[in-house]
Structures are given as C-alpha cells and as structure tokens.
C-alpha cells in the first residue's frame, strides 16, 4: 500500500474534521487512533455550539467561533446524506437565566453593551415562564436564538465515516508511540504495529498532544482539564432551550430526550473519574434552575478531558523547528463548535500553505 500523504494522530472531533476536509480535497489521509473514534473528550462533550462565558471578547478566538457556527447546519445535512448519520442538530437557542437581582443587573448591562455575539434579547420574568414553564422563579434572562447544539459523539463518528467514504483510512486501536524523523523532517509515526510513513503528520491527540511534542523536543503545552457531566431522563415535558446558569453551568435538552447537565472544570491531570462532590454540584445547579429536577433520578454520569492551552486559544499550524509536522489541539471548551472551521483551515493550510483565515494568532511557536 502506498504511504498516505497525511497521517493524523487522534480520532477525536478535531482529527476527524481535518481528515474529512482533506479527503474532500483528494488527499490520501490515514487517521491513527489508539482507542475508538470519539472515545475521549469528543464523545464526552455536551455538543453545545455556543460560548459558555458570559461575555465573549473581540479577537481571533471570537472570529474563529463566528466563522465556524454557520458551517454546522450544512455540514450536518451533508454528513447525513453521505453517511446516514443524523448528528441531531437542534436549533435550541440559549436562555441565560438570572435568579437574583444582581445577576439580572449583570445580564441587562450585557444586553445594553451590545456584545459582539449577535442577537441577545432581554426576557422579562413573566415572559421567561412562557418560554420555559419549569424554570425557577427568575429575575429575567437573555435569549440568544443563534446558538444551537449537536450530538458530539455522532458528529465525530459521521466526520470519520464520511472521510472513509472519500478514501481515508481509519486505524483504530493503534497507538502512536513515537515519530519517525530524518534530519529536521518528520517522515512518519511509530506504532505498536510498526512504522508508517507520510508526507505530513498532524498531531490532533487532544489532551495527549504535549507528550507527542516532547518527543520532538518542542513545547506544545496542552493540558487536560476534566469536565464532569450527568444526564437525567426527561421525556414527559422536556425543556425547550439550553439553559445557562451562573458560572457557566448549563442544562441541555438533547434530541434523544435526555437532559445533559454540565459541567465542572477540574485541573486534576489525567484523572478521568467523576467525583461525588462534582456530581452533587451539578445536581444542585440543575435543581436551582429547574426545581422539579431535585427529585429526578440520574440516568448516567461521565467525565472527559478537555484539551486546554495556557492562553485559552487553540494551537494550530506548523510545529516550530520541524518540517512535515503540524498540530491542531487546545480547543478546550469549544472543540465541537470549532471543529468544522479547524478542519477546513488546517486542510487548506496543509494543501495550499495558506488558509482563508490567518492562523497566526494560534501558531504553536508562540510558546517557544
Ligand atoms: C464534559 C465536556 C463537555 C464539553 N462540552 C462542549 C460543548 O458543549 N461544546 C464544545 O464545543 N466543546 C465542548 N467540550 C470540549 C470538546 O469536547 C473538546 O474541545 C474536543 O472534543 C477536543 O477534541 P480533540 O479531537 O482535540 O480531542 P479528543 O476528543 O480527546 O481526541 C483526541 C484523540 O487522540 C487520541 N490519542 C491520544 N494520544 C494518541 C496516540 N499517542 N496515538 C493515537 N491516538 C491518540 C485519543 O485516544 C483521542 O481519541 C466539552 C468537553 C467535555 C469533557
């Protein structure tokens, strides 16, 4: 078999999105995933296509989010046609809810400041009840209809399958243990099953990217940030919107009838367990927003490791000091939202040496 043009290390949403857009451009690509596609952060994700911070600052990350948002609906349609997988795109809209006068004042000030996020409508307390009858007595809220959601695991699977349908190879259960180099060039990867050569290698290994960088003597400071979540079965009178409480806690009614409650942000290294304290905090936050959930039984809980970066920006582009190797990681809480634009820009950069949107602010060399 001929060597692929590009090997992608990591079958999360980022690696699979890059593979999808590369395969679309006619590139021979192989995804090497040590577990299963979507088996780490991407499969654990809530799948919100929205910023979770109260305000989003103008800047390169904000621009990247805005560029990615409109790519999702047509991508969902194309993926359904090409793979039969429904990524469960839901136009839920987000309601940020203020339960105290202080929180309401903050939200009002936010609306009046006309943030760069697009539509934000102030919703008075009585109107809030009409939008979400199960909501706790609130002082008001802000509605942003432009923020939607997907099933993150299905999105990752669909990107991988669509890439395969376009000729990509997928090697699951194969861990990359090192990189093959020749002078200052990376020419392939080492795996438990032997070496694989390629014209280009892309490190899209999520929280494990730093370890691969170390093998090249380069700092790619991606750090795992654990997120815990739980799900309630919520079939009888499901919520209609994504509800955002304080401190970034959220309730997301998914297409399959489950209500996702997320999420903690824990700096505990590679420990991927849930904790009694973390889950209790999520339950409390959920019941504060929707009191009837105080008595609901939890259907499942889980945790995943988000790839964080020191400055909160993704790390995208060539690995400094080396040829033939680039990185796409560090998407932290926005990897699902940013997956189409990351896939598209990385594929452009790999095939043309330039991209529609500059990757300068995200370049891996900024940590040198
Ligand atoms: C609880 C939680 C909720 C979230 N909610 C949202 C949300 O609502 N919206 C949003 O946009 N984002 C959300 N995120 C963040 C989002 O999930 C991540 O940013 C995104 O999944 C990162 O994708 P990735 O492909 O970089 O990493 P991963 O999905 O972790 O994929 C990396 C892959 O690389 C593989 N790998 C690692 N090392 C090797 C190796 N040596 N050889 C081969 N394979 C290797 C791993 O097995 C893994 O499958 C959430 C994350 C969590 C944990």
């Amino acid at each position: 078999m001929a060597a692929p043009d590009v090997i992608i290390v990591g079958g999360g949403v980022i690696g699979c999105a890059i593979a999808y857009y590369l395969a679309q451009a006619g590139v021979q690509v192989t995804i090497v995933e040590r577990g299963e596609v979507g088996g780490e952060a991407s499969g654990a994700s809530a799948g919100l296509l929205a910023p979770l911070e109260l305000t989003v600052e103008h800047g390169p990350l904000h621009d990247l989010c805005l560029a990615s948002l409109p790519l999702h609906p047509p991508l969902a349609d194309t993926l359904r046609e090409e793979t039969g997988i429904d990524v469960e795109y839901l136009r839920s809209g987000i309601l940020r809810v203020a339960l105290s006068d202080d929180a309401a004042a903050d939200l009002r000030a936010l609306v009046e400041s006309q943030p760069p996020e697009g539509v934000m409508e102030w919703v008075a307390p009585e109107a809030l009840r009409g939008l979400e009858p199960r909501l706790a007595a609130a002082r008001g809220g802000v509605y942003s209809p432009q923020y939607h959601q997907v099933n993150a695991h299905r999105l990752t699977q669909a990107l991988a399958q669509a890439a395969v349908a376009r000729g990509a190879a997928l090697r699951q259960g194969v861990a990359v243990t090192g990189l093959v180099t020749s002078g200052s060039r990376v020419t392939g990867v080492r795996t438990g099953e032997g070496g694989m050569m390629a014209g280009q290698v892309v490190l899209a290994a999520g929280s494990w990217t730093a370890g691969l960088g170390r093998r090249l003597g380069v700092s790619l400071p991606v750090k795992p940030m654990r997120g815990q979540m739980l799900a309630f079965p919520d079939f009888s009178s499901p919520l209609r919107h994504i509800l955002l409480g304080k401190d970034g806690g959220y309730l997301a009614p998914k297409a399959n009838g489950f209500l996702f409650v997320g999420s903690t942000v824990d700096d505990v290294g590679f420990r991927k367990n849930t904790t009694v304290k973390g889950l209790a905090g999520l339950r409390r936050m959920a019941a504060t927003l929707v009191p009837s959930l105080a008595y609901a039984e939890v259907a499942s809980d889980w945790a995943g490791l988000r790839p964080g970066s020191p400055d909160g920006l993704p790390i995208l582009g060539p690995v400094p000091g080396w040829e033939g190797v680039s990185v796409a990681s560090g998407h932290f809480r926005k990897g699902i939202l940013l997956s189409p634009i990351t896939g598209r820009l990385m594929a452009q950069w790999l095939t043309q040496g330039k991209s529609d949107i500059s990757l300068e602010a995200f370049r891996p060399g900024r940590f040198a």
Side-chain angles (χ1 to χ4, degrees):
M1 202 168 67
D5 300 323
V6 179
I7 287 176
I8 295 174
V9 185
V13 76
I14 298 301
C16 293
I18 298 169
Y20 172 74
Y21 285 97
L22 279 175
Q24 209 170 45
V27 175
Q28 279 297 317
V29 48
T30 296
I31 303 170
V32 184
E33 163 57 51
R34 71 176 169 201
E36 292 175 357
V37 161
E40 293 291 346
S42 303
S45 170
L48 309 190
L49 307 178
L52 296 170
E53 306 82 15
L54 191 57
T55 52
V56 180
E57 284 174 21
H58 270 299
L61 180 56
H62 175 251
D63 293 345
L64 207 61
C65 291
L66 283 191
S68 205
L69 271 176
L71 300 182
H72 276 279
L75 178 63
D77 290 342
T78 310
L79 291 174
R80 192 190 299 106
E81 279 162 27
E82 293 185 359
T83 67
I85 297 177
D86 177 3
V87 304
E88 299 177 346
Y89 191 93
L90 276 190
R91 296 172 191 276
S92 323
I94 282 196
L95 263 178
R96 292 169 210 244
V97 181
L99 297 179
S100 68
D101 287 335
D102 283 353
D106 287 349
L107 281 187
R108 262 193 180 286
L110 178 66
V111 176
E112 278 153 24
S113 72
Q114 298 188 328
E117 284 187 54
V119 188
M120 279 198 165
E121 297 161 13
W122 172 255
V123 188
E126 49 290 358
L128 263 184
R129 272 298 177 100
L131 286 176
E132 280 298 351
R134 292 166 65 198
L135 196 61
R139 300 297 195 205
V142 168
Y143 180 46
S144 301
Q146 71 273 31
Y147 295 130
H148 305 150
Q149 56 172 324
V150 291
N151 177 321
H153 193 252
R154 281 175 169 246
L155 175 64
T156 311
Q157 295 285 341
L159 286 165
Q161 280 198 26
V164 168
R166 288 168 184 267
L170 173 60
R171 305 282 304 274
Q172 298 187 82
V174 178
V176 168
T177 53
L179 297 157
V180 184
T181 58
S182 168
S184 61
R185 190 167 187 92
V186 171
T187 54
V189 299
R190 279 183 234 290
T191 76
E193 301 182 1
M196 294 169 65
M197 309 306 278
Q200 292 280 337
V201 174
V202 180
L203 309 178
S207 289
W208 296 268
T209 304
L212 293 169
R214 276 195 294 275
R215 289 175 186 273
L216 294 171
V218 176
S219 169
L220 300 173
V222 181
K223 182 176 175 183
M225 296 298 282
R226 184 175 68 189
Q228 303 180 49
M229 295 200 59
L230 57 82
F232 292 116
D234 203 36
F235 307 113
S236 50
S237 54
L239 296 179
R240 300 166 190 163
H241 306 87
I242 300 162
L243 299 184
L244 204 55
K246 54 179 193 137
D247 303 330
Y250 54 84
L251 273 58
K254 305 303 287 185
N256 60 7
F258 285 90
L259 180 68
F260 282 14
V261 180
S263 58
T264 66
V265 182
D266 313 326
D267 186 358
V268 292
F270 286 93
R271 276 184 280 162
K272 212 177 68 175
N273 57 307
T274 55
T275 64
V276 172
K277 186 175 169 211
L279 296 177
L282 293 176
R283 284 202 66 135
R284 237 183 348 263
M285 184 273 297
T288 307
L289 283 173
V290 176
S292 58
L293 291 174
Y295 310 102
E297 271 198 35
V298 172
S300 60
D301 58 63
W302 64 94
L305 301 175
R306 310 175 183 95
S309 77
D311 57 8
L313 302 183
I315 304 172
L316 306 173
V319 172
W322 291 90
E323 288 162 50
V325 60
S326 52
V327 60
S329 189
H331 292 75
F332 191 39
R333 301 190 86 174
K334 297 188 175 68
I336 307 301
L337 164 61
L338 291 174
S339 55
I341 196 68
T342 301
R344 194 152 114 167
L345 297 179
M346 285 298 293
Q348 287 174 351
W349 184 81
L350 285 160
T351 53
Q352 303 160 32
K354 59 183 177 124
S355 52
D356 287 347
I357 298 175
S358 167
L359 296 179
E360 178 59 22
F362 311 111
R363 85 198 142 78
R366 70 188 187 273
F367 303 110

